[in-house]
């Protein structure tokens, strides 16, 4: 799965970005937008807020986060399975 390209759920494209902080740690940001309308993009916090020290670990978690998204709410927010 390409975390940058993301997944399509309904009318939305959802992707998970790995962002490096100034301190060298990595965090996840989930973003969604209506397919064909990138101007509607909104960013959401990933379900876990813990930073990662290794890029590979953050990328693996990003794949898991994308796989756990089951629906998209009315405002485009990703809704996760439990």
């Amino acid at each position: 799965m390409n975390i940058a390209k993301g997944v399509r759920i309904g009318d939305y494209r959802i992707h998970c970005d790995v962002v490096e902080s100034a301190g060298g740690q990595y965090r996840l940001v989930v973003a969604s937008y209506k397919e064909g309308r990138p101007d509607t993009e909104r960013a959401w916090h990933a379900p876990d807020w813990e930073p990662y020290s290794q890029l590979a670990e953050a990328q693996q978690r990003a794949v898991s986060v994308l796989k756990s998204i089951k629906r998209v709410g009315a405002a485009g927010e990703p809704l996760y399975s439990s």
Side-chain angles (χ1 to χ4, degrees):
M1 172 182 293
N2 182 338
I3 60 175
K5 184 177 177 183
V7 296
R8 182 177 177 179
I9 298 177
D11 293 338
Y12 286 89
R13 172 69 56 185
I14 303 168
H15 56 96
C16 188
D17 296 322
V18 177
V19 179
E20 185 176 8
S21 69
Q25 292 192 312
Y26 301 92
R27 64 183 175 87
L28 305 181
V29 176
V30 179
S32 66
Y33 63 90
K34 283 198 171 194
E35 192 75 46
R37 301 243 351 252
D39 60 312
T40 63
E41 184 174 61
R42 294 185 62 192
W44 312 91
H45 292 289
D48 59 9
W49 289 61
E50 70 181 76
Y52 299 92
S53 59
Q54 301 294 316
L55 177 59
E57 181 184 19
Q59 290 171 330
Q60 287 176 334
R61 181 63 182 139
V63 169
S64 296
V65 166
L66 284 175
K67 287 181 179 179
S68 71
I69 298 170
K70 299 303 177 196
R71 297 187 332 250
V72 178
E77 74 274 16
L79 302 173
Y80 304 90
S81 62
S82 43

